[in-house]
Amino acid sequence: ALGLVYLPLGNSSVDYYGSNRSAAENEYATSLVAIDVTTGRPAWHFRTVHNDVWDYDLGSQATLVDFPAEGGTVPALVLPSKQGDMYVLDRRTGESLFPVEERPVPQGGVEPDYISPVQPFSTYHTLAKAPLTEADMWGMSPIDQLWCRIQFRQSAYDGMYTPPTTDRHWIQYPGYNGGSDWGGIAIDPTRGIIVANYNDMPNHNRLIPRAEADAAGLTPIYVEDGNANGPLGEAGPQVGAPYAIQVNAGWRVGATGLLCKEPPYGGIRAI
């Protein structure tokens, strides 16, 4: 009815480094963009991460809904994010129907001049859990638990948006799986209920200096006989950046392959 298409955009490649990005990439990456179907031009856009170096792309579509408001309803959309935050936007203008707070986030890492000092947080609802603590580290045996607690202590972690580091691993929580699951959310407009499927798994990452990545033979998967893993485990070469990335998706104990974080690893929530 409004003549708009709503496009959830990814973060700009490469995932975990951003100092070589253009101004347009920084403006539109990890954003919901409304395109005017008559012109093909952006009508508005709403950015959910500033200078995203955490692979927090918008993994799913927004859900359109006539949102209850004083005197009737507002044509709106509910946008879930990998961080767990849900945004309710007026789909005509992109304006949030609830306050969005720009809160200070951890600084440092390998790009201190690129990392944004603040990030947007929705005051409507979030699926995000409390920050991890050593007590959240878990294992099927005391040895597993001890190993995970040692890894936690040795890692950089200052909460959500901990900057990527190369001298040691850093903990990303929520991990790149979410937060909100990639399948999106469902809304029951009759009962006024949002049903959300969320993931609850941290990642254990490290930026790999280019020389180390080259020595390990790390190459893109699209190259013939490409090697995106090898001796570095699950890794990506991040071609064009000074660092490759080593990602322990879910942060698993080597002996058992189970996660270091205490279960459960996801859930269903009605809001």
Side-chain angles (χ1 to χ4, degrees):
L2 297 174
L4 298 173
V5 177
Y6 304 100
L7 303 179
L9 297 193
N11 55 296
S12 188
S13 293
V14 296
D15 289 339
Y16 298 97
Y17 185 82
S19 292
N20 53 1
R21 293 173 182 166
S22 69
E25 288 176 290
N26 289 330
E27 183 65 26
Y28 283 95
T30 319
S31 297
L32 185 72
V33 182
I35 301 293
D36 186 324
V37 298
T38 62
T39 65
R41 304 289 298 174
W44 56 261
H45 69 285
F46 181 86
R47 188 170 59 209
T48 60
V49 181
H50 306 312
N51 297 357
D52 183 2
V53 291
W54 299 273
D55 197 14
Y56 278 155
D57 55 283
L58 291 170
S60 59
Q61 73 288 343
T63 299
L64 277 58
V65 62
D66 294 326
F67 201 85
E70 186 175 352
T73 60
V74 172
L77 54 81
V78 181
L79 177 66
S81 70
K82 284 186 178 180
Q83 303 90 289
D85 279 12
M86 291 185 184
Y87 298 93
V88 183
L89 309 179
D90 186 322
R91 64 177 184 259
R92 299 167 296 187
T93 64
E95 295 294 321
S96 178
L97 300 185
F98 296 85
V100 176
E101 296 179 354
E102 296 283 345
R103 300 176 188 168
V105 293
Q107 299 293 285
V110 301
E111 300 178 272
D113 295 331
Y114 182 76
I115 298 294
S116 175
V118 296
Q119 293 290 352
F121 287 82
S122 173
T123 62
Y124 172 66
H125 188 83
T126 185
L127 301 171
K129 303 286 189 171
L132 293 173
T133 67
E134 184 181 334
D136 295 316
M137 298 300 102
W138 178 87
M140 284 291 286
S141 71
I143 296 298
D144 285 350
Q145 186 180 80
L146 177 61
W147 184 90
C148 289
R149 289 192 172 203
I150 291 172
Q151 293 292 311
F152 182 86
R153 288 242 180 157
Q154 291 178 340
S155 302
Y157 180 62
D158 297 311
M160 192 183 295
Y161 296 112
T162 295
T165 57
T166 187
D167 58 330
R168 55 181 172 152
H169 284 77
W170 95 92
I171 297 171
Q172 179 185 354
Y173 183 66
Y176 65 63
N177 284 319
S180 179
D181 187 75
W182 299 3
I185 59 173
I187 295 180
D188 180 342
T190 303
R191 296 177 177 83
I193 292 176
I194 298 170
V195 179
N197 177 15
Y198 64 92
N199 301 302
D200 193 14
M201 299 182 294
N203 294 145
H204 196 229
N205 306 337
R206 183 176 73 92
L207 289 175
I208 306 167
R210 178 57 54 200
E212 181 182 343
D214 291 344
L218 197 61
T219 54
I221 58 174
Y222 57 79
V223 174
E224 186 176 0
D225 298 325
N227 177 20
N229 294 296
L232 296 177
E234 185 180 353
Q238 298 207 134
V239 175
Y243 302 96
I245 180 67
Q246 185 179 30
V247 182
N248 185 339
W251 193 6
R252 299 176 186 275
V253 182
T256 63
L258 298 174
L259 298 180
C260 267
K261 181 195 166 293
E262 184 179 16
Y265 304 124
I268 299 285
R269 185 181 300 178
I271 300 131

